[in-house]
Coordinates of all heavy atoms in Angstrom, one line a residue:
V19 N 126.1 92.5 91.2 CA 126.8 92.4 90.1 C 128.3 92.7 90.2 O 129.1 92.0 89.8 CB 126.3 93.2 88.8 CG1 127.1 93.1 87.6 CG2 124.9 92.8 88.4
I20 N 128.5 93.6 91.0 CA 130.0 94.1 91.4 C 130.6 92.9 92.1 O 131.7 92.6 91.9 CB 130.0 95.4 92.1 CG1 129.6 96.6 91.1 CG2 131.4 95.7 92.6 CD1 129.4 97.8 91.9
A21 N 129.9 92.4 93.1 CA 130.4 91.3 93.8 C 130.7 90.1 93.1 O 131.7 89.5 93.3 CB 129.5 91.0 95.1
I22 N 129.8 89.8 92.2 CA 130.1 88.6 91.3 C 131.3 88.8 90.3 O 132.1 87.9 90.2 CB 128.8 88.3 90.5 CG1 127.7 87.9 91.4 CG2 129.0 87.2 89.4 CD1 126.3 87.8 90.8
D23 N 131.3 90.0 89.8 CA 132.6 90.4 89.0 C 133.8 90.2 89.8 O 134.8 89.6 89.3 CB 132.6 91.8 88.5 CG 131.4 91.8 87.5 OD1 131.0 91.0 86.9 OD2 130.9 93.1 87.1
R24 N 133.8 90.6 91.1 CA 135.0 90.6 91.9 C 135.5 89.1 92.2 O 136.6 88.7 92.2 CB 134.9 91.3 93.3 CG 134.7 92.8 93.1 CD 134.4 93.4 94.4 NE 135.7 93.8 95.0 CZ 135.8 94.5 96.1 NH1 134.6 94.9 96.7 NH2 136.9 94.8 96.6
M25 N 134.4 88.3 92.4 CA 134.6 86.8 92.6 C 135.1 86.2 91.4 O 136.1 85.4 91.5 CB 133.3 86.0 93.2 CG 132.8 86.5 94.5 SD 131.2 86.0 95.0 CE 131.0 84.3 94.3
I26 N 134.6 86.5 90.3 CA 135.0 85.9 89.0 C 136.4 86.3 88.8 O 137.3 85.6 88.3 CB 134.1 86.4 87.9 CG1 132.8 85.7 88.0 CG2 134.7 86.0 86.4 CD1 131.8 86.3 87.0
Q27 N 136.7 87.5 89.0 CA 138.2 88.1 88.9 C 139.0 87.7 90.0 O 140.2 88.1 90.0 CB 138.1 89.6 88.6 CG 137.4 90.0 87.3 CD 137.2 91.4 87.1 OE1 137.7 92.3 87.9 NE2 136.3 91.9 86.4
D28 N 138.6 86.9 90.9 CA 139.5 86.6 92.0 C 139.9 87.8 92.8 O 141.2 87.6 93.3 CB 140.6 85.6 91.7 CG 141.2 84.8 92.8 OD1 140.3 84.6 93.9 OD2 142.2 84.4 92.8
Q29 N 139.1 88.8 93.1 CA 139.6 90.0 93.8 C 139.1 90.0 95.2 O 139.5 90.9 95.9 CB 139.1 91.2 93.1 CG 139.7 91.5 91.8 CD 139.1 92.6 91.0 OE1 138.3 93.4 91.5 NE2 139.6 93.0 89.8
Q30 N 138.3 89.0 95.5 CA 137.8 89.0 96.9 C 139.0 88.7 97.9 O 139.9 88.1 97.5 CB 136.7 88.1 97.1 CG 136.9 86.7 96.9 CD 135.7 85.8 97.1 OE1 135.0 85.9 96.0 NE2 135.5 85.1 98.1
K31 N 138.9 89.2 99.2 CA 140.0 89.1 100.2 C 140.2 87.8 100.7 O 141.1 87.4 101.2 CB 139.9 90.3 101.1 CG 140.0 91.6 100.6 CD 139.7 92.6 101.5 CE 139.8 94.0 100.9 NZ 138.8 95.0 101.3
K32 N 139.0 87.1 100.9 CA 138.9 85.8 101.5 C 138.1 84.9 100.7 O 137.4 85.3 99.8 CB 138.2 85.9 102.9 CG 138.9 87.0 103.8 CD 138.0 87.0 105.1 CE 138.6 88.1 106.0 NZ 137.9 88.4 107.1
N33 N 138.1 83.6 101.1 CA 137.4 82.5 100.2 C 135.9 82.7 100.6 O 135.1 82.6 99.6 CB 137.7 81.1 100.7 CG 139.0 80.7 100.2 OD1 139.6 81.3 99.2 ND2 139.7 79.8 101.0
V34 N 135.4 83.3 101.6 CA 134.1 83.5 102.0 C 134.0 84.8 102.7 O 134.9 85.2 103.6 CB 133.7 82.4 103.0 CG1 132.2 82.9 103.4 CG2 133.6 81.1 102.4
E35 N 133.1 85.7 102.2 CA 133.1 87.0 102.9 C 131.6 87.1 103.4 O 130.7 86.6 102.7 CB 133.2 88.1 101.9 CG 134.8 88.2 101.6 CD 135.1 89.4 100.7 OE1 134.6 90.4 101.1 OE2 136.0 89.3 99.8
I36 N 131.4 87.7 104.5 CA 130.0 87.8 105.1 C 129.7 89.3 105.3 O 130.6 90.2 105.6 CB 130.1 87.2 106.5 CG1 130.4 85.8 106.6 CG2 128.8 87.5 107.3 CD1 130.6 85.0 107.9
F37 N 128.6 89.7 104.9 CA 128.0 91.0 104.8 C 126.8 91.3 105.6 O 125.9 90.5 105.5 CB 127.8 91.5 103.3 CG 129.0 91.4 102.4 CD1 129.2 90.3 101.6 CD2 130.0 92.4 102.5 CE1 130.4 90.2 100.7 CE2 131.1 92.3 101.7 CZ 131.3 91.2 100.8
N38 N 126.7 92.4 106.3 CA 125.4 92.8 107.0 C 124.9 93.8 106.1 O 125.5 94.8 105.7 CB 125.7 93.6 108.3 CG 126.2 92.6 109.3 OD1 125.7 91.5 109.5 ND2 127.3 92.9 110.1
L39 N 123.7 93.4 105.5 CA 122.9 94.3 104.5 C 121.8 94.9 105.2 O 121.2 94.4 106.1 CB 122.5 93.4 103.3 CG 123.5 92.7 102.6 CD1 122.9 91.9 101.5 CD2 124.5 93.6 102.1
G40 N 121.7 96.2 104.9 CA 120.5 97.0 105.5 C 120.7 98.4 105.3 O 121.7 98.7 104.5
T41 N 119.9 99.1 105.8 CA 119.9 100.6 105.5 C 120.6 101.3 106.6 O 121.0 102.4 106.5 CB 118.4 101.2 105.6 OG1 118.0 101.0 107.0 CG2 117.4 100.6 104.6
G42 N 121.1 100.6 107.7 CA 121.8 101.3 108.7 C 120.8 101.9 109.8 O 121.3 102.4 110.8
R43 N 119.5 101.7 109.6 CA 118.6 102.2 110.5 C 117.8 101.0 111.1 O 117.2 100.2 110.4 CB 117.6 103.1 109.9 CG 116.5 103.7 110.9 CD 115.2 103.9 110.4 NE 114.2 104.6 111.2 CZ 113.5 103.9 112.1 NH1 113.6 102.5 112.2 NH2 112.5 104.5 112.8
G44 N 117.8 100.8 112.3 CA 117.2 99.6 112.9 C 115.7 99.9 113.1 O 115.2 101.1 113.1
F45 N 115.0 98.8 113.3 CA 113.4 99.0 113.6 C 113.1 98.0 115.0 O 113.6 97.0 115.0 CB 112.7 98.4 112.4 CG 113.0 99.2 111.1 CD1 113.9 98.8 110.3 CD2 112.4 100.4 110.9 CE1 114.1 99.6 109.1 CE2 112.6 101.2 109.8 CZ 113.5 100.6 108.9
S46 N 112.2 98.4 115.5 CA 111.6 97.6 116.8 C 110.7 96.5 116.2 O 110.3 96.7 115.0 CB 110.9 98.5 117.7 OG 109.6 98.9 117.1
V47 N 110.7 95.6 116.8 CA 109.7 94.5 116.5 C 108.3 95.1 116.2 O 107.6 94.6 115.2 CB 109.6 93.3 117.6 CG1 108.6 92.4 117.3 CG2 111.0 92.7 117.8
L48 N 107.8 95.9 117.1 CA 106.4 96.5 116.9 C 106.4 97.4 115.6 O 105.4 97.3 114.9 CB 106.1 97.4 118.1 CG 104.7 97.8 118.2 CD1 103.6 96.8 118.0 CD2 104.3 98.8 119.3
E49 N 107.6 98.1 115.2 CA 107.6 98.9 114.0 C 107.4 97.8 112.8 O 106.6 98.1 111.7 CB 108.8 99.6 113.8 CG 108.8 100.9 114.6 CD 110.1 101.5 114.6 OE1 111.2 100.9 114.9 OE2 110.1 102.7 114.3
V50 N 108.0 96.8 112.9 CA 108.0 95.6 111.8 C 106.6 95.1 111.7 O 106.0 95.0 110.6 CB 109.2 94.5 112.1 CG1 109.0 93.4 110.9 CG2 110.5 95.2 111.9
I51 N 106.1 94.8 112.8 CA 104.7 94.2 112.9 C 103.7 95.2 112.2 O 103.0 94.8 111.4 CB 104.3 93.7 114.2 CG1 105.0 92.6 114.8 CG2 102.8 93.6 114.4 CD1 104.9 92.3 116.4
Q52 N 103.8 96.5 112.7 CA 102.8 97.4 112.1 C 103.0 97.7 110.6 O 102.0 97.8 110.0 CB 103.0 98.8 112.9 CG 102.5 98.6 114.3 CD 102.8 99.8 115.2 OE1 103.9 100.6 114.9 NE2 102.1 99.9 116.2
S53 N 104.2 97.7 110.3 CA 104.5 97.8 108.7 C 104.0 96.7 107.9 O 103.4 97.0 107.0 CB 106.0 98.0 108.5 OG 106.3 98.1 107.1
F54 N 104.1 95.5 108.5 CA 103.7 94.4 107.8 C 102.0 94.4 107.6 O 101.6 94.1 106.6 CB 104.2 93.0 108.3 CG 103.6 91.9 107.7 CD1 104.1 91.4 106.5 CD2 102.4 91.1 108.3 CE1 103.6 90.3 105.9 CE2 101.8 90.1 107.6 CZ 102.4 89.6 106.4
E55 N 101.5 94.6 108.7 CA 100.0 94.8 108.7 C 99.4 95.8 107.7 O 98.5 95.6 107.1 CB 99.5 95.1 110.2 CG 99.7 93.9 111.2 CD 99.1 94.3 112.7 OE1 99.1 95.5 112.9 OE2 98.8 93.5 113.3
K56 N 100.2 97.0 107.7 CA 99.8 98.1 106.8 C 99.8 97.4 105.3 O 99.0 97.7 104.5 CB 100.6 99.2 107.1 CG 100.4 100.4 106.2 CD 101.2 101.6 106.7 CE 102.1 102.2 105.6 NZ 102.9 103.3 106.1
V57 N 101.1 96.9 104.9 CA 101.2 96.5 103.5 C 100.5 95.4 103.1 O 100.0 95.2 101.9 CB 102.7 96.5 103.2 CG1 103.4 97.7 103.4 CG2 103.5 95.4 103.8
S58 N 100.2 94.4 104.1 CA 99.5 93.2 103.7 C 98.1 93.2 103.9 O 97.3 92.4 103.3 CB 100.1 92.0 104.5 OG 99.8 92.2 105.9
G59 N 97.6 94.2 104.7 CA 96.2 94.3 105.0 C 95.7 93.2 106.0 O 94.6 92.9 106.1
R60 N 96.8 92.5 106.5 CA 96.3 91.4 107.4 C 96.7 91.8 108.9 O 97.7 92.4 109.1 CB 97.1 90.1 107.1 CG 96.6 89.7 105.7 CD 97.1 88.1 105.6 NE 96.6 87.7 104.4 CZ 96.4 86.4 104.1 NH1 96.5 85.6 105.1 NH2 95.9 86.1 103.0
K61 N 95.8 91.4 109.9 CA 96.2 91.7 111.2 C 96.9 90.4 111.7 O 96.5 89.3 111.6 CB 94.8 91.8 112.0 CG 94.9 92.2 113.4 CD 95.3 93.6 113.6 CE 95.3 93.9 115.1 NZ 96.4 94.5 115.6
L62 N 98.1 90.8 112.5 CA 98.8 89.7 113.0 C 98.3 89.5 114.5 O 98.0 90.5 115.2 CB 100.3 89.9 113.0 CG 100.9 90.2 111.6 CD1 102.3 90.6 111.7 CD2 100.9 88.8 110.9
N63 N 98.5 88.2 114.9 CA 98.1 87.9 116.3 C 99.3 88.0 117.2 O 100.2 87.1 117.1 CB 97.4 86.6 116.4 CG 96.9 86.2 117.8 OD1 96.9 87.0 118.6 ND2 96.7 85.0 117.9
Y64 N 99.5 89.1 118.1 CA 100.7 89.2 118.9 C 100.1 89.7 120.2 O 99.2 90.2 120.3 CB 101.8 90.0 118.3 CG 101.2 91.6 118.0 CD1 101.5 92.5 119.0 CD2 100.7 91.9 116.8 CE1 101.0 93.8 118.9 CE2 100.2 93.2 116.6 CZ 100.4 94.1 117.6 OH 100.1 95.5 117.5
K65 N 101.1 89.5 121.2 CA 100.9 90.0 122.5 C 102.1 90.7 122.9 O 103.3 90.2 122.8 CB 100.7 88.7 123.4 CG 100.4 89.1 124.9 CD 100.3 87.8 125.7 CE 100.2 88.1 127.1 NZ 100.1 86.9 127.9
I66 N 101.9 91.9 123.5 CA 103.1 92.7 124.1 C 103.2 92.1 125.5 O 102.3 92.2 126.3 CB 102.7 94.2 124.1 CG1 102.7 94.6 122.6 CG2 103.8 94.9 124.8 CD1 102.3 96.0 122.4
A67 N 104.4 91.8 125.9 CA 104.8 91.2 127.1 C 106.1 91.7 127.6 O 106.9 92.4 126.8 CB 104.8 89.7 127.1
D68 N 106.4 91.5 128.9 CA 107.7 91.9 129.4 C 108.8 91.1 128.8 O 108.6 90.0 128.2 CB 107.7 91.6 130.9 CG 106.8 92.6 131.7 OD1 106.6 93.6 131.2 OD2 106.5 92.1 132.8
R69 N 110.0 91.7 128.6 CA 111.1 91.1 128.1 C 111.6 89.8 129.0 O 111.3 89.8 130.2 CB 112.3 92.1 128.1 CG 113.3 91.7 126.9 CD 114.3 92.8 126.6 NE 114.9 93.3 127.7 CZ 115.1 94.6 127.9 NH1 114.6 95.5 127.0 NH2 115.6 95.2 128.9
R70 N 111.8 88.8 128.2 CA 112.1 87.5 129.0 C 113.7 87.6 129.6 O 114.5 88.3 129.0 CB 112.1 86.4 128.2 CG 110.6 86.2 127.6 CD 110.6 85.3 126.4 NE 111.4 85.8 125.4 CZ 111.6 85.3 124.1 NH1 110.9 84.2 123.9 NH2 112.2 85.7 123.3
E71 N 113.9 86.9 130.5 CA 115.3 86.7 131.0 C 116.3 86.2 129.8 O 115.9 85.4 129.3 CB 115.4 85.8 132.2 CG 116.7 85.8 132.7 CD 116.8 84.9 134.1 OE1 115.8 84.6 134.8 OE2 117.9 84.3 134.2
G72 N 117.3 87.1 129.6 CA 118.2 86.6 128.6 C 118.1 87.4 127.4 O 118.8 87.4 126.3
D73 N 116.8 88.0 127.1 CA 116.6 88.8 125.9 C 117.5 89.9 125.9 O 117.7 90.6 126.8 CB 115.1 89.2 125.8 CG 114.1 88.2 125.4 OD1 114.5 87.2 125.0 OD2 112.9 88.3 125.5
I74 N 118.0 90.3 124.7 CA 118.9 91.5 124.5 C 118.1 92.6 124.2 O 117.0 92.5 123.6 CB 120.1 91.2 123.6 CG1 119.5 90.9 122.2 CG2 121.0 90.2 124.1 CD1 120.5 90.7 121.2
E75 N 118.5 93.8 124.6 CA 117.7 95.0 124.4 C 117.8 95.5 123.0 O 116.8 96.0 122.4 CB 118.1 96.1 125.5 CG 117.3 97.4 125.3 CD 117.7 98.3 126.4 OE1 118.3 98.1 127.3 OE2 117.5 99.7 126.0
K76 N 119.0 95.5 122.4 CA 119.2 96.2 121.2 C 120.4 95.4 120.5 O 121.2 94.8 121.0 CB 119.7 97.5 121.1 CG 118.7 98.4 121.8 CD 119.2 100.0 121.8 CE 118.2 100.8 122.4 NZ 118.7 102.2 122.5
V77 N 120.2 95.2 119.1 CA 121.2 94.5 118.3 C 121.5 95.4 117.1 O 120.7 96.1 116.4 CB 120.8 93.3 117.6 CG1 121.8 92.5 116.7 CG2 120.4 92.2 118.8
F78 N 122.8 95.7 116.8 CA 123.1 96.6 115.7 C 124.1 95.8 114.8 O 124.9 95.0 115.2 CB 123.9 97.7 116.3 CG 123.1 98.7 117.0 CD1 123.2 98.5 118.5 CD2 122.4 99.6 116.6 CE1 122.4 99.3 119.4 CE2 121.6 100.5 117.5 CZ 121.7 100.2 118.9
A79 N 124.0 96.0 113.5 CA 124.8 95.5 112.4 C 125.3 96.6 111.6 O 124.6 97.4 111.0 CB 124.1 94.5 111.6
D80 N 126.5 96.8 111.5 CA 127.2 97.8 110.8 C 127.3 97.4 109.3 O 127.8 96.4 108.9 CB 128.7 98.0 111.3 CG 129.5 99.3 110.7 OD1 128.9 99.8 109.7 OD2 130.5 99.6 111.1
T81 N 126.8 98.4 108.5 CA 126.6 98.1 107.0 C 127.7 98.7 106.3 O 127.8 98.5 105.0 CB 125.3 98.6 106.4 OG1 125.2 100.0 106.7 CG2 124.1 97.9 107.2
E82 N 128.6 99.3 106.9 CA 129.7 100.1 106.1 C 130.5 99.2 105.3 O 130.9 99.5 104.1 CB 130.6 100.8 107.2 CG 129.8 102.2 107.6 CD 129.4 103.1 106.4 OE1 130.2 103.5 105.6 OE2 128.2 103.5 106.6
F83 N 130.9 98.0 105.9 CA 131.8 97.0 105.0 C 131.1 96.6 103.9 O 131.7 96.7 102.7 CB 132.1 95.8 106.0 CG 132.9 94.8 105.2 CD1 134.2 95.1 104.9 CD2 132.4 93.6 104.9 CE1 135.0 94.1 104.2 CE2 133.2 92.5 104.2 CZ 134.4 92.9 103.9
A84 N 129.8 96.3 103.9 CA 129.1 95.8 102.7 C 129.0 97.0 101.7 O 129.2 96.8 100.4 CB 127.7 95.3 103.1
N85 N 128.6 98.2 102.3 CA 128.5 99.3 101.4 C 129.8 99.7 100.5 O 129.8 99.8 99.4 CB 128.1 100.6 102.2 CG 126.9 100.4 102.8 OD1 126.0 99.5 102.6 ND2 126.5 101.2 103.7
R86 N 130.9 99.5 101.3 CA 132.2 99.9 100.6 C 132.7 98.8 99.7 O 133.0 99.0 98.6 CB 133.3 100.0 101.8 CG 134.5 100.5 101.4 CD 135.6 100.7 102.4 NE 135.8 99.5 103.2 CZ 135.3 99.3 104.4 NH1 134.6 100.2 105.1 NH2 135.5 98.1 105.2
E87 N 132.6 97.4 100.2 CA 133.2 96.3 99.3 C 132.2 96.1 98.2 O 132.7 95.7 97.1 CB 133.2 95.1 100.3 CG 134.3 95.2 101.2 CD 135.7 95.4 100.7 OE1 136.1 94.5 99.8 OE2 136.4 96.3 101.1
L88 N 130.9 96.3 98.4 CA 130.0 95.7 97.3 C 129.6 97.0 96.4 O 129.0 96.8 95.2 CB 128.7 95.1 97.9 CG 128.9 93.9 98.6 CD1 127.6 93.4 99.2 CD2 129.6 92.8 97.8
G89 N 129.9 98.1 96.9 CA 129.5 99.4 96.1 C 128.0 99.4 96.1 O 127.6 99.9 95.0
W90 N 127.4 99.0 97.0 CA 125.9 99.0 97.0 C 125.4 99.5 98.3 O 125.9 99.2 99.3 CB 125.4 97.6 96.7 CG 124.0 97.3 96.8 CD1 123.2 97.4 95.7 CD2 123.3 96.8 97.8 NE1 121.9 97.1 96.1 CE2 122.0 96.8 97.5 CE3 123.6 96.5 99.1 CZ2 120.9 96.3 98.3 CZ3 122.7 96.0 99.9 CH2 121.3 95.9 99.6
K91 N 124.3 100.1 98.3 CA 123.7 100.5 99.6 C 122.1 100.3 99.5 O 121.4 100.8 98.5 CB 124.0 102.0 99.8 CG 123.5 102.5 101.2 CD 124.0 103.8 101.5 CE 123.4 104.2 102.9 NZ 123.9 105.4 103.4
A92 N 121.6 99.8 100.7 CA 120.1 99.6 100.7 C 119.4 101.0 100.7 O 119.8 101.7 101.6 CB 119.7 98.7 101.8
L93 N 118.4 101.1 100.1 CA 117.6 102.4 100.1 C 116.2 102.3 100.3 O 115.5 103.3 100.4 CB 117.8 103.1 98.6 CG 119.4 103.4 98.2 CD1 119.3 103.9 96.9 CD2 119.9 104.4 99.2
K94 N 115.6 101.1 100.4 CA 114.3 100.9 100.6 C 113.8 101.2 102.0 O 114.5 101.1 103.0 CB 113.8 99.5 100.3 CG 114.2 98.9 98.9 CD 113.3 99.5 97.7 CE 113.7 99.0 96.5 NZ 113.1 99.8 95.4
S95 N 112.4 101.7 102.1 CA 111.9 102.0 103.4 C 111.4 100.7 104.1 O 111.3 99.6 103.2 CB 110.7 102.9 103.2 OG 109.6 102.2 102.5
L96 N 111.1 100.8 105.2 CA 110.5 99.4 106.0 C 109.4 98.9 105.2 O 109.1 97.8 105.0 CB 110.4 99.7 107.4 CG 109.7 98.6 108.2 CD1 110.5 97.4 108.2 CD2 109.5 98.9 109.6
D97 N 108.4 99.8 104.9 CA 107.1 99.5 104.2 C 107.5 98.7 102.8 O 106.9 97.8 102.5 CB 106.2 100.6 103.9 CG 105.5 101.1 105.3 OD1 105.7 100.3 106.2 OD2 104.9 102.1 105.1
E98 N 108.4 99.3 102.1 CA 108.8 98.7 100.8 C 109.3 97.4 101.1 O 109.3 96.4 100.1 CB 109.8 99.6 100.0 CG 109.1 100.9 99.6 CD 110.4 101.9 99.0 OE1 111.2 102.2 99.8 OE2 110.1 102.3 97.9
M99 N 110.2 97.1 102.0 CA 110.8 95.9 102.3 C 109.8 94.9 102.7 O 109.8 93.7 102.3 CB 111.8 95.9 103.4 CG 113.2 96.8 103.0 SD 114.5 96.9 104.1 CE 114.0 98.2 105.3
M100 N 108.8 95.3 103.5 CA 107.9 94.5 104.1 C 106.9 94.0 102.9 O 106.5 92.8 102.7 CB 106.9 95.1 105.1 CG 107.5 95.2 106.5 SD 107.8 93.5 107.2 CE 109.6 93.4 107.1
L101 N 106.6 94.9 101.9 CA 105.8 94.6 100.7 C 106.4 93.7 99.8 O 105.9 92.7 99.3 CB 105.4 95.9 100.1 CG 104.5 95.8 98.8 CD1 103.1 95.0 99.2 CD2 104.3 97.1 98.2
S102 N 107.7 93.9 99.7 CA 108.5 92.9 98.8 C 108.5 91.6 99.4 O 108.3 90.5 98.8 CB 110.0 93.4 98.7 OG 110.7 92.5 98.0
A103 N 108.7 91.4 100.8 CA 108.8 90.1 101.5 C 107.3 89.5 101.2 O 107.3 88.3 101.1 CB 109.3 90.3 102.8
W104 N 106.3 90.3 101.5 CA 104.9 89.9 101.4 C 104.7 89.2 100.0 O 104.1 88.2 99.8 CB 103.9 90.9 101.9 CG 102.5 90.4 101.8 CD1 101.6 91.1 101.0 CD2 101.8 89.3 102.5 NE1 100.3 90.3 101.3 CE2 100.6 89.3 102.1 CE3 102.3 88.3 103.3 CZ2 99.7 88.3 102.6 CZ3 101.5 87.3 103.9 CH2 100.1 87.4 103.4
N105 N 105.0 90.1 98.9 CA 104.8 89.6 97.6 C 105.5 88.4 97.4 O 105.1 87.4 96.5 CB 105.2 90.7 96.5 CG 104.1 91.9 96.5 OD1 103.0 91.6 96.9 ND2 104.6 93.0 96.3
W106 N 106.7 88.2 97.8 CA 107.6 87.1 97.6 C 106.8 85.8 98.2 O 106.7 84.7 97.5 CB 109.0 87.2 98.3 CG 109.8 86.0 98.3 CD1 110.0 85.1 99.2 CD2 110.5 85.5 97.1 NE1 110.9 84.1 98.8 CE2 111.1 84.2 97.5 CE3 110.6 86.0 95.7 CZ2 111.9 83.5 96.7 CZ3 111.4 85.1 94.9 CH2 112.0 84.0 95.4
E107 N 106.3 86.0 99.3 CA 105.5 84.8 100.0 C 104.3 84.4 99.2 O 103.9 83.2 99.2 CB 105.1 85.3 101.6 CG 104.5 84.2 102.2 CD 105.5 82.9 102.5 OE1 106.6 83.1 102.5 OE2 104.9 81.9 102.7
L108 N 103.6 85.5 98.9 CA 102.4 85.2 97.9 C 102.8 84.5 96.7 O 102.0 83.4 96.2 CB 101.8 86.4 97.6 CG 101.0 87.3 98.7 CD1 100.5 88.5 98.2 CD2 99.9 86.5 99.4
K109 N 103.8 84.8 96.0 CA 104.3 84.0 94.9 C 104.6 82.6 95.2 O 104.4 81.7 94.4 CB 105.4 84.9 94.2 CG 104.8 86.2 93.4 CD 106.1 86.8 92.8 CE 105.5 88.1 92.2 NZ 106.5 88.9 91.7
L110 N 105.4 82.4 96.3 CA 105.8 81.1 96.8 C 104.6 80.3 97.0 O 104.6 79.0 96.6 CB 106.6 81.2 98.0 CG 108.1 81.6 97.8 CD1 108.8 81.5 99.3 CD2 108.7 80.6 97.0
N111 N 103.6 80.8 97.6 CA 102.3 80.0 97.9 C 101.6 79.6 96.5 O 101.2 78.5 96.5 CB 101.4 80.9 98.8 CG 101.9 80.9 100.2 OD1 102.6 80.1 100.7 ND2 101.3 81.9 101.0
E112 N 101.6 80.4 95.6 CA 101.1 80.2 94.3 C 102.0 78.9 93.6 O 101.4 78.1 93.0 CB 101.0 81.4 93.3 CG 100.0 82.3 93.7 CD 98.6 81.7 93.5 OE1 98.3 81.1 92.7 OE2 98.0 82.0 94.6
F113 N 103.2 79.0 93.8 CA 104.1 77.9 93.2 C 103.8 76.6 93.9 O 103.9 75.5 93.3 CB 105.5 78.4 93.4 CG 106.6 77.5 92.9 CD1 106.7 77.2 91.6 CD2 107.3 76.7 93.8 CE1 107.7 76.3 91.2 CE2 108.2 75.7 93.5 CZ 108.4 75.6 92.1
R114 N 103.6 76.7 95.3 CA 103.4 75.4 96.0 C 102.1 74.8 95.6 O 101.9 73.6 96.0 CB 103.4 75.7 97.5 CG 104.8 76.2 98.0 CD 104.8 76.6 99.4 NE 106.0 77.1 99.9 CZ 106.1 78.1 100.7 NH1 105.2 78.7 101.3 NH2 107.4 78.5 101.0
K115 N 101.1 75.4 95.0 CA 99.8 74.9 94.8 C 99.9 74.0 93.6 O 100.6 74.0 92.8 CB 98.7 76.0 94.6 CG 98.4 76.8 95.8 CD 97.4 77.8 95.4 CE 97.0 78.7 96.6 NZ 96.1 79.6 96.3

């Protein structure tokens, strides 16, 4: 709501602003898989393998700009985020029928 108010009042600094949203705590792919399996009750088919040539080890996104500019901070746990995404997908599937 704050971001929309700023746009309406023409207070944004640029025509387009890009924000990294998140909690500021990263998760491994395996942590995300395990969380999804936990909240959905479904087993995912995956295989643990060596990193491929060109794969990067870590990626970080600084959320401070979004927190400061939007006056908002993500507070959900990984399980809460996975459950929300899973519920969204279930609702989309119902809509598609």
Side-chain angles (χ1 to χ4, degrees):
V19 174
I20 294 169
I22 294 170
D23 288 344
R24 292 174 92 170
M25 289 169 40
I26 291 170
Q27 296 173 11
D28 198 29
Q29 293 178 3
Q30 66 190 75
K31 296 174 182 146
K32 302 176 185 175
N33 289 335
V34 174
E35 294 188 36
I36 298 170
F37 299 98
N38 288 315
L39 300 178
T41 62
R43 185 223 185 264
F45 301 99
S46 71
V47 173
L48 188 56
E49 286 175 305
V50 172
I51 289 170
Q52 290 170 339
S53 176
F54 178 81
E55 288 181 336
K56 181 171 123 183
V57 302
S58 71
R60 296 195 176 209
K61 181 78 174 133
L62 296 175
N63 183 17
Y64 64 92
K65 178 181 171 185
I66 297 178
D68 292 334
R69 214 170 36 234
R70 301 166 297 184
E71 185 177 335
D73 282 352
I74 56 176
E75 185 176 336
K76 296 178 182 178
V77 176
F78 297 92
D80 186 353
T81 61
E82 286 302 313
F83 177 69
N85 296 347
R86 184 178 61 253
E87 291 296 308
L88 300 176
W90 176 87
K91 185 172 181 169
L93 301 174
K94 302 290 184 190
S95 69
L96 178 59
D97 286 349
E98 290 172 308
M99 291 184 278
M100 288 290 109
L101 182 58
S102 177
W104 178 239
N105 286 334
W106 174 258
E107 184 63 30
L108 292 174
K109 287 178 185 177
L110 281 178
N111 284 337
E112 286 299 315
F113 177 75
R114 292 176 185 142
K115 290 181 181 179

